[in-house]
Amino acid sequence: GGTASIARFRGALVGAVLGDCLGGEFEGAEEVPMDRVLQHLNGLEEDSRGDCILQYSDDTAMTRCVVQSLLTRGEFDQQDMAHRFAEEYRQAPGRGYGSGVVQVLRKLSSPRLSDVFQPARAQFGGRGSFGNGGAMRSAPFALAFRNLPDVKRYARLGAMLTHSCSLGYNGAVLQALAVHYSLQGALSVPQVFINRLISEMEGVENEDCARNDARALNEPEFPFCARLHRIKDLMERNTVSIEEVISELGNGIAALHSVPTAIFCVLHCLEPRPGLPEQYGGLERTVAYCLALGGDTDTIACMAGAIAGAHYGVDAIPQAWQRCCEGAEEAEAWADRLHLLYHKQ
Ligand code: 8NA
Ligand code: MG
Ligand code: MG
């Protein structure tokens, strides 16, 4: 489809849900042999009776809250979104939330709370969380808002409801930017795509609080830009091993160690790669590659799935994969409604 087409919107949300559901199998594992990944994915094709159901985790649970809040309110409403996060957690606390964020989610359900950003600011001795929980749910901001400053502003605020450290919320901004540019077709020229992300993030990270947070965590200034430059270096090389990806970019639960990794996975899998089945298209390659990294596989595959899905469109996602994932069908319906909201602006 063309730029910002309905197929791209559906691809972004279904891709995110799929990454979460398919990645759950390997979450927290050290490096996973590609054979095991392919076995897992082939199993979905063989399930002709349709009784395999892979459940989604916190990534999709919170993404649903973001979508429903944006659709119901027709704009960003921090109170409403915070309330939905708290209510979702109250109803289904067993979706695999990070161990710190559950405290925020409990506080957000208090009717006496007047500042919904306050519980997030109290995390980790007042430093706030740098986890990838804000980034894992930020794709809908790119689908609801057409205008780039809005995408950045609301992805940041949406993440700050649980992640007040700049390394947490700037990861969410980067993920939303990647989905935004992918929706525009920018991945058809990979160098243009990465250069746009770098130039946007130079502005995003040019803030005192970002400098202070980076220093406190012993990271260089402009930490996300530094990682995006590493991606550029890796893109110029003929061969890159899984071990190098993990050591250069990471596969962990920090946004800094997972958002750039997800972006790299999408870029790397634009072309056929040795070790990945020849019959796989780009979206299938991307998901398989993310799972083979081990670590925070559900979240890395969820973020890469959203970016890749916005590029390839929903028709690139195998039906058999969609059938096996909880929430995939519903994601298509949300995408249609977000597409309307986006084009109304
Ligand atoms: P979070 O805010 O609890 O952060 C996740 C973790 O990061 C925390 O529990 C801490 O260990 C660490 N952390 C974050 N900020 C700081 C800080 N300032 N100082 C010290 N440690 C810190 O939760 P979240 O929503 O960011 O977490 C998202 C991730 O957790 C997702 O991957 C999600 O799927 C889930 N999860 C991951 C795993 C895994 O093994 N990778 C397992 C279960 C759940
Ligand atoms: Mg998860
Ligand atoms: Mg995870």
Side-chain angles (χ1 to χ4, degrees), residues 21 44 47 50-56 322-327:
C21 293
L44 310 175
D47 177 60
D51 48 17
C52 103
I53 269 294
L54 300 170
Q55 291 193 334
Y56 64 70
Q322 294 186 53
R323 265 201 309 277
C324 287
C325 295
E326 181 192 14

Side-chain angles (χ1 to χ4, degrees), residues 27-28 58-59 96-101 124 127-133 163 253 296 298-299:
E27 187 176 20
D58 55 335
D59 307 59
Y97 288 87
S99 53
V101 75
F124 299 100
R127 292 189 309 276
S129 173
F130 53 63
N132 56 19
H163 290 68
I253 50 168
D296 197 358
D298 66 331
T299 304

Side-chain angles (χ1 to χ4, degrees), residues 236-297:
E236 276 162 22
R237 304 217 336 234
N238 289 329
T239 60
V240 182
S241 70
I242 295 267
E243 294 76 16
E244 287 170 301
V245 177
I246 297 171
S247 74
E248 290 289 307
L249 301 174
N251 63 358
I253 50 168
L256 187 65
H257 302 156
S258 51
V259 182
T261 310
I263 292 168
F264 173 77
C265 291
V266 177
L267 289 163
H268 184 71
C269 293
L270 286 167
E271 288 165 32
R273 294 286 173 185
L276 286 165
E278 276 172 35
Q279 75 273 18
Y280 269 15
L283 189 129
E284 293 150 287
R285 288 194 294 269
T286 304
V287 171
Y289 194 81
C290 289
L291 305 199
L293 293 178
D296 197 358
T297 47

Side-chain angles (χ1 to χ4, degrees), residues 73-328:
R73 306 295 304 151
E75 62 182 356
F76 177 71
D77 176 337
Q78 59 211 40
Q79 307 279 346
D80 181 77
M81 200 171 283
H83 177 77
R84 286 173 195 272
F85 289 156
E87 192 52 24
E88 169 62 36
Y89 175 67
R90 205 182 59 77
Q91 289 189 12
R95 292 272 187 192
Y97 288 87
S99 53
V101 75
V102 298
Q103 296 176 47
V104 179
L105 298 173
R106 285 195 201 105
K107 290 182 187 169
L108 285 176
S109 68
S110 163
R112 290 188 311 274
L113 188 71
S114 57
D115 177 3
V116 290
F117 295 105
Q118 192 279 326
R121 283 198 297 266
Q123 290 295 95
F124 299 100
R127 292 189 309 276
S129 173
F130 53 63
N132 56 19
M136 73 188 182
R137 61 174 191 254
S138 77
F141 294 102
L143 305 177
F145 301 103
R146 193 171 183 157
N147 164 304
L148 194 60
D150 286 344
V151 174
K152 291 188 284 188
R153 180 178 314 126
Y154 298 126
R156 171 186 164 114
L157 287 171
M160 285 173 92
L161 291 168
T162 50
H163 290 68
S164 75
C165 175
S166 63
L167 280 96
Y169 62 74
N170 281 342
V173 173
L174 175 57
Q175 168 64 9
L177 285 169
V179 175
H180 170 86
Y181 285 123
S182 177
L183 214 55
Q184 311 293 322
L187 273 166
S188 56
V189 190
Q191 286 300 330
V192 169
F193 179 81
I194 193 77
N195 287 337
R196 282 194 186 158
L197 290 181
I198 290 172
S199 84
E200 283 301 327
M201 290 307 290
E202 280 170 352
V204 168
E205 294 195 285
N206 188 17
E207 282 192 330
D208 286 341
C209 51
R211 284 202 181 79
N212 293 338
D213 288 346
R215 195 173 310 118
L217 289 164
N218 269 321
E219 290 290 340
E221 283 200 346
F222 295 86
F224 283 99
C225 291
R227 300 252 161 180
L228 291 168
H229 281 288
R230 286 191 199 174
I231 294 178
K232 269 185 88 156
D233 294 342
L234 291 173
M235 283 165 73
E236 276 162 22
R237 304 217 336 234
N238 289 329
T239 60
V240 182
S241 70
I242 295 267
E243 294 76 16
E244 287 170 301
V245 177
I246 297 171
S247 74
E248 290 289 307
L249 301 174
N251 63 358
I253 50 168
L256 187 65
H257 302 156
S258 51
V259 182
T261 310
I263 292 168
F264 173 77
C265 291
V266 177
L267 289 163
H268 184 71
C269 293
L270 286 167
E271 288 165 32
R273 294 286 173 185
L276 286 165
E278 276 172 35
Q279 75 273 18
Y280 269 15
L283 189 129
E284 293 150 287
R285 288 194 294 269
T286 304
V287 171
Y289 194 81
C290 289
L291 305 199
L293 293 178
D296 197 358
T297 47
D298 66 331
T299 304
I300 293 173
C302 170
M303 297 188 293
I307 303 164
H311 175 63
Y312 299 106
V314 71
D315 299 327
I317 305 177
Q319 287 290 333
W321 292 18
Q322 294 186 53
R323 265 201 309 277
C324 287
C325 295
E326 181 192 14

